[in-house]
Amino acid sequence: MKKDDGLSELVYEYYESRILFGHYRYGEQLLSVSQICSSFQVGRNTVLAALQKLEENGYIATEERKVARIAYQGTEDIFKKNIANYFVPRRDGILDFARGGQLLFMPVWQAGLQNLGLDTQKLTYQNTVQSDTVPAPVKLYIDALRTFHNDLLLNLYWQCLRYLTFLYPRRKVDQSGSADHKYNSGEAAEPVLTQYLVNDLDQSFDFYYVSIQNEVLAFIESASKKYNLEQVRQIPFQWIIYRQRPQVRYTLAARIIREILWGRCPVGSYLPSMPKLAEQYQVSLSTVRRTLAVLQTLGVTRTFMGVGTRVCLEPVDFRVLDASEIQENLRLHGEGLQFLALTVRGVTVYTLEAVTERKRDALAEEIRKLRGKTSSILCIDVLLSFIANECPSGIIRECYGKLRELVVWGYILSAVLLENGQLDFDFEHMMIQSEKDLQAGRLNAFADRLQSFIESRMNFFYLKFPLWS
């Protein structure tokens, strides 16, 4: 079966939670394989792998040429306990999403709606997700995200929905055909997304998330006491990128190029020996050897037998970038830049407003160090590092930390373009102005300038490599 880079696990966990929470009950049918494929926008093998795991774990039973049926037999008390065991350890994350999720997704949603040409007053909308797997607002968001042709954005959205499982619709009827299922008559209602859209998108976020947050927290409080979960360890949101990730040698190559562009390993100098590189980066000698081969292919270094590996940054044939692994990693770089361009302004202002003046001064000092540098990607790295360490929102720290890993591939692109005379970013003036804005407390102006800069770099990337967009 073809590798699906973890997407089958996403589908599996989606249905596992719905079965454990009592949304699906014993004997009921799942959607057909083709309907599940359409809902999640994944291949047939991915869905079959998820169904196979569900069956192996006793959640469903399958028969040839028939739709899978629920095999898990739970009681109301078991369902409540399963819900408590899931939500109580995610209390902090649920609180965090009220602000962090808004900063990450509202700009994307609004831009996506504009791409759709959606009339937000009349809400004339034809969704493309033709199943009941997700509610109408989620379908709308998925369609809005698709307008960017950015798998990274869709991946993050699914990851957030999986973490916040309660955003999925409630069970409409129970086995006896009675009304909507609740946790119980004396507790908070099952946290759900109501099945209609509202006109104002800012209000819709409040309605779909903030307005049900109190219900969820009330349930968590009562369930914590009932099931003795007061001291349970919190589970933070973790973004698992379900795509081919850069192999270690490529990630290490990007890190070494970053050192070169910062001037810590200047052109003409020699890299440390292979054993020292292995020790420094905590990798094997074979990984170092493969990394040096990548760097030589890219024209970054040249190895001389018995002498060592010298930094040279020689011009290379762009056809070396056709290698499938390099192409995939640079595609992730481009998608990461697009996500940054959409969200960086609000995230930057939010972070800067939350930190002390001393930390803002420290950021200004890091920006000052960029003067005289030739690679504009270093500016993005400084910003991402600051946000990933200082933002008060855990989900933003997680997402921007992952983006830093992906954007780091821009170092390879910078190294190649610099020596081919095609990287025409003159960002010295921009850095000076950004530093002044920060020191003067003009946080919005600072954020606007950085957003414009990232947009220009993103546009440059897709102009040079349109086939990777």
Side-chain angles (χ1 to χ4, degrees):
M1 188 173 293
K2 185 178 179 181
K3 181 181 178 182
D4 59 26
D5 296 314
L7 282 170
S8 64
E9 192 70 16
L10 187 152
V11 178
Y12 166 81
E13 290 186 9
Y14 172 86
Y15 281 107
E16 179 191 42
S17 65
R18 291 166 76 89
I19 293 169
L20 289 174
F21 296 173
H23 182 85
Y24 289 113
R25 303 295 179 89
Y26 177 76
E28 293 180 348
Q29 291 183 333
L30 290 184
L31 297 172
S32 68
V33 172
S34 61
Q35 287 175 314
I36 297 174
C37 290
S38 174
S39 297
F40 288 91
Q41 291 296 294
V42 296
R44 183 178 180 83
N45 285 345
T46 297
V47 172
L48 291 176
L51 295 179
Q52 180 180 344
K53 186 174 180 180
L54 287 168
E55 185 167 29
E56 290 172 351
N57 290 333
Y59 294 123
I60 65 172
T62 61
E63 296 181 44
E64 189 176 356
R65 297 183 180 180
K66 290 185 179 180
V67 176
R69 289 186 176 274
I70 307 301
Y72 179 82
Q73 299 187 51
T75 64
E76 291 299 325
D77 188 62
I78 289 175
F79 292 142
K80 294 171 192 173
K81 189 172 183 178
N82 290 340
I83 294 168
N85 285 333
Y86 185 87
F87 286 114
V88 172
R90 291 166 175 80
R91 177 185 180 277
D92 292 350
I94 291 168
L95 286 167
D96 183 35
F97 265 79
R99 181 55 176 158
Q102 186 176 37
L103 287 168
L104 289 174
F105 288 114
M106 284 304 297
V108 178
W109 188 341
Q110 291 167 341
L113 290 175
Q114 292 179 357
N115 294 340
L116 281 172
L118 182 63
D119 186 338
T120 57
Q121 297 302 314
K122 298 179 180 179
L123 288 174
T124 54
Y125 164 65
Q126 179 66 40
N127 76 74
T128 64
V129 183
Q130 304 295 332
S131 82
D132 293 330
T133 301
V134 293
V138 178
K139 294 175 184 177
L140 171 58
Y141 209 126
I142 291 172
D143 279 344
L145 287 176
R146 285 178 182 160
T147 64
F148 298 103
H149 307 289
N150 186 320
D151 290 341
L152 198 64
L153 285 174
L154 281 169
N155 171 265
L156 176 60
Y157 186 54
W158 276 117
Q159 288 287 305
C160 290
L161 290 180
R162 183 174 69 171
Y163 182 83
L164 304 170
T165 299
F166 65 85
L167 290 176
Y168 292 113
R170 77 179 76 187
R171 175 178 172 78
K172 294 181 180 180
V173 295
D174 61 20
Q175 285 294 89
S176 64
S178 61
D180 290 347
H181 171 65
K182 310 283 185 181
Y183 289 128
N184 67 35
S185 58
E187 297 176 352
E190 181 179 7
V192 297
L193 269 176
T194 304
Q195 297 290 313
Y196 64 84
L197 302 177
V198 295
N199 291 337
D200 187 284
L201 288 177
D202 292 326
Q203 292 179 3
S204 73
F205 182 87
D206 290 340
F207 182 82
Y208 294 139
Y209 190 91
V210 179
S211 66
I212 64 174
Q213 179 178 263
N214 291 336
E215 296 179 2
V216 179
L217 295 176
F219 168 76
I220 288 174
E221 183 178 0
S222 63
S224 297
K225 298 175 182 178
K226 181 176 181 178
Y227 298 106
N228 299 315
L229 298 173
E230 290 95 337
Q231 304 302 319
V232 68
R233 184 177 179 180
Q234 290 294 301
I235 301 173
F237 172 76
Q238 183 180 10
W239 185 11
I240 302 171
I241 299 174
Y242 288 133
R243 290 187 60 180
Q244 181 179 342
R245 300 298 301 279
Q247 295 184 19
V248 176
R249 66 180 181 272
Y250 290 107
T251 300
L252 180 54
R255 292 176 65 184
I256 291 174
I257 292 174
R258 174 167 56 188
E259 297 297 301
I260 294 170
L261 296 179
W262 270 109
R264 296 163 187 156
C265 299
V267 174
S269 67
Y270 283 82
L271 295 179
S273 66
M274 287 198 296
K276 288 185 178 179
L277 285 173
E279 180 181 0
Q280 178 181 344
Y281 293 104
Q282 295 295 295
V283 296
S284 66
L285 278 173
S286 60
T287 296
V288 171
R289 192 174 293 109
R290 294 189 184 100
T291 300
L292 295 180
V294 171
L295 292 172
Q296 182 152 318
T297 300
L298 293 168
V300 176
T301 63
R302 178 173 293 184
T303 300
F304 299 91
M305 189 67 66
V307 179
T309 300
R310 187 178 68 189
V311 177
C312 55
L313 286 182
E314 295 176 341
V316 297
D317 189 334
F318 273 106
R319 286 176 295 182
V320 303
L321 299 181
D322 290 338
S324 60
E325 290 177 326
I326 294 178
Q327 181 175 343
E328 174 65 12
N329 296 333
L330 287 173
R331 181 180 288 111
L332 282 170
H333 166 73
E335 291 181 353
L337 283 179
Q338 187 180 50
F339 184 28
L340 274 177
L342 290 165
T343 63
V344 71
R345 187 193 183 281
V347 167
T348 299
V349 172
Y350 174 62
T351 304
L352 290 173
E353 288 178 342
V355 301
T356 63
E357 184 177 353
R358 181 176 61 83
K359 290 186 176 180
R360 289 198 292 267
D361 289 341
L363 175 60
E365 177 60 29
E366 287 299 305
I367 293 175
R368 188 176 300 113
K369 293 177 183 178
L370 294 171
R371 295 186 184 181
K373 304 299 180 185
T374 54
S375 174
S376 59
I377 197 69
L378 296 173
C379 170
I380 301 175
D381 183 68
V382 167
L383 177 66
L384 291 181
S385 178
F386 178 79
I387 293 174
N389 285 290
E390 303 297 342
C391 184
S393 168
I395 179 179
I396 292 177
R397 291 196 304 272
E398 169 69 10
C399 290
Y400 270 56
K402 287 294 197 304
L403 287 174
R404 191 186 181 202
E405 293 179 16
L406 301 180
V407 172
V408 76
W409 263 86
Y411 295 123
I412 290 179
L413 186 64
S414 291
V416 173
L417 293 179
L418 275 169
E419 290 308 307
N420 283 272
Q422 298 192 42
L423 190 57
D424 56 356
F425 285 104
D426 179 13
F427 66 105
E428 182 84 9
H429 177 72
M430 193 275 290
M431 288 294 95
I432 294 174
Q433 293 304 312
S434 296
E435 182 185 336
K436 289 181 178 179
D437 287 337
L438 199 54
Q439 291 175 330
R442 297 189 293 266
L443 305 186
N444 286 298
F446 174 81
D448 287 338
R449 202 178 300 279
L450 283 174
Q451 181 184 34
S452 177
F453 169 70
I454 292 173
E455 287 175 346
S456 66
R457 179 161 184 112
M458 178 190 71
N459 293 333
F460 176 82
F461 174 83
Y462 286 125
L463 176 66
K464 291 296 181 183
F465 304 102
L467 295 178
W468 296 355
S469 60

